[in-house]
Amino acid sequence: MNKIQTRTVSVCLSPALLPSYNLEESIVVVIDIFRASSSICYGIHNGADAIIPVLTVDDCKKYSSSDFLLAAERNGAIVEGFAFGNSPFSYTEEKVRGRTIVLTTTNGTRSIQLSKTKQAKKVLIGSFLNISALSHWLMDQQHSVVLLCAGWKENFSLEDTLFAGAVVEKLKESFIVNDDAAHAAYDLYTLAKGDIAEYLKKSSHSERLEKLNIEADIEFCLQLDVVDSIPVLENDRLVKLG
C-alpha cells in the first residue's frame, strides 16, 4: 500500500510574510540568489569551516579582534573597512578553506535569523549552485518544506522566486503543493526557465548589480549544480550538512 503523502512544499515570497507560517515542523530553505545564499553555498563547498550570519554591521565588528574573516554588504556593495562582501568570487578555496567567516548582508542573513527565531526544524541555504543536491536531500526527509525568499528589503524579488519555483518543480511529485505562492513561483519558473538569465535582466536586483559593474556575479549565481554541498544552520553557524 502506498503511503499517503502529507508533506507540503510552500513558498514564502518575503520575510515580511514569515509570521504567517508555522515553521516548527518544517525545514526552511533560505534563498537569496543575488548573492548571499549563492556565496554561502560556494564558500561552504570550498572548505570554509563555518559562516556565522549576523544581523548588523556592528554585530560583525564584534568579531574583529579574533581570527575571523569579516564580510559585510549593504545595498549591493562591500561595507567600507571590511575584507569582502557577498560576491561568490570572495569565497574561493584559497580564500576561505579552514576559515570561519562572519557575514552580514542586506537581506539574506536577516532571513536566516528570522527562520531561527521561528524555531524551524532545520534551516538550510539554497541556490542554483546546489539545487540538485538540495532537492534530492529534501525528497528524502519526512518534513514539510518552506522556501523562504529573502527578497530585497522585504519586497518581492524575481530571482529568489524563480529559484523557489525551480525547487517546487523538482519536489512536486513527492510533496503536496497547495500553496498559492508555490503555484505562482512554479508557473513563473516555467515561463522563464528557457533562459533564466535573459528573463532576469528585467529584475530590479540585476539592475542594481549591473550599476556596481558586477555582472559576472549574476552570471555565476545562475549556474546549475556547481557544488553538491548544503549549508545548514547549527546553533549560530552555517556548516556543511553531513
Side-chain angles (χ1 to χ4, degrees):
M1 181 181 296
N2 292 331
K3 184 177 180 180
I4 296 173
Q5 186 58 260
T6 59
R7 298 177 300 175
T8 63
V9 56
S10 304
V11 175
C12 181
L13 295 171
S14 162
L17 299 172
L18 199 58
S20 301
Y21 291 78
N22 181 359
L23 303 185
E24 291 185 9
E25 294 302 320
S26 296
I27 297 167
V28 175
V29 179
V30 175
I31 305 161
D32 188 2
I33 298 302
F34 295 154
R35 298 161 286 168
S37 68
S38 301
S39 296
I40 290 168
C41 290
Y42 195 50
I44 291 296
H45 182 78
N46 282 329
D49 282 347
I51 297 175
I52 302 173
V54 297
L55 281 176
T56 70
V57 172
D58 285 341
D59 289 335
C60 198
K61 288 178 178 177
K62 292 176 183 177
Y63 292 82
S64 60
S65 61
S66 302
D67 188 27
F68 295 99
L69 289 176
L70 304 186
E73 170 270 333
R74 286 296 182 270
N75 298 316
I78 298 174
V79 176
E80 186 177 354
F82 284 79
F84 48 87
N86 66 344
S87 168
F89 297 110
S90 294
Y91 292 76
T92 58
E93 184 173 4
E94 59 269 26
K95 293 179 180 179
V96 305
R97 176 163 291 279
R99 304 295 301 274
T100 295
I101 302 153
V102 184
L103 173 67
T104 182
T105 70
T106 305
N107 306 293
T109 54
R110 180 172 180 273
S111 295
I112 295 166
Q113 293 292 343
L114 284 172
S115 300
K116 179 185 175 184
T117 301
K118 290 279 287 180
Q119 299 182 319
K121 198 76 176 175
K122 279 188 182 296
V123 180
L124 307 178
I125 307 300
S127 69
F128 285 108
L129 304 183
N130 73 340
I131 186 170
S132 290
L134 172 70
S135 299
H136 290 150
W137 187 87
L138 291 172
M139 281 188 276
D140 288 339
Q141 309 311 304
Q142 298 305 311
H143 298 286
S144 294
V145 174
V146 175
L147 304 169
L148 171 57
C149 301
W152 177 258
K153 297 182 179 180
E154 297 199 339
N155 287 317
F156 173 92
S157 73
L158 276 176
E159 65 275 5
D160 295 347
T161 305
L162 284 184
F163 176 80
V167 175
V168 171
E169 181 181 66
K170 289 180 177 293
L171 300 186
K172 64 185 178 68
E173 300 303 324
S174 303
F175 287 71
I176 297 169
V177 185
N178 58 5
D179 169 65
D180 282 358
H183 287 300
Y186 171 65
D187 288 349
L188 191 64
Y189 172 69
T190 302
L191 178 66
K193 69 178 181 179
D195 192 340
I196 292 175
E198 181 64 29
Y199 188 87
L200 285 175
K201 285 181 179 179
K202 68 181 77 175
S203 75
S204 59
H205 208 154
S206 290
E207 291 180 4
R208 279 188 290 271
L209 295 182
E210 286 174 3
K211 288 177 181 176
L212 294 169
N213 296 315
I214 46 180
E215 294 96 331
D217 284 17
I218 298 173
E219 183 178 353
F220 186 92
C221 292
L222 295 179
Q223 295 179 102
L224 294 174
D225 296 327
V226 172
V227 306
D228 58 6
S229 301
I230 305 168
V232 60
L233 189 67
E234 292 188 357
N235 298 317
D236 294 323
R237 296 174 173 232
L238 292 161
V239 297
K240 184 176 179 179
L241 182 68

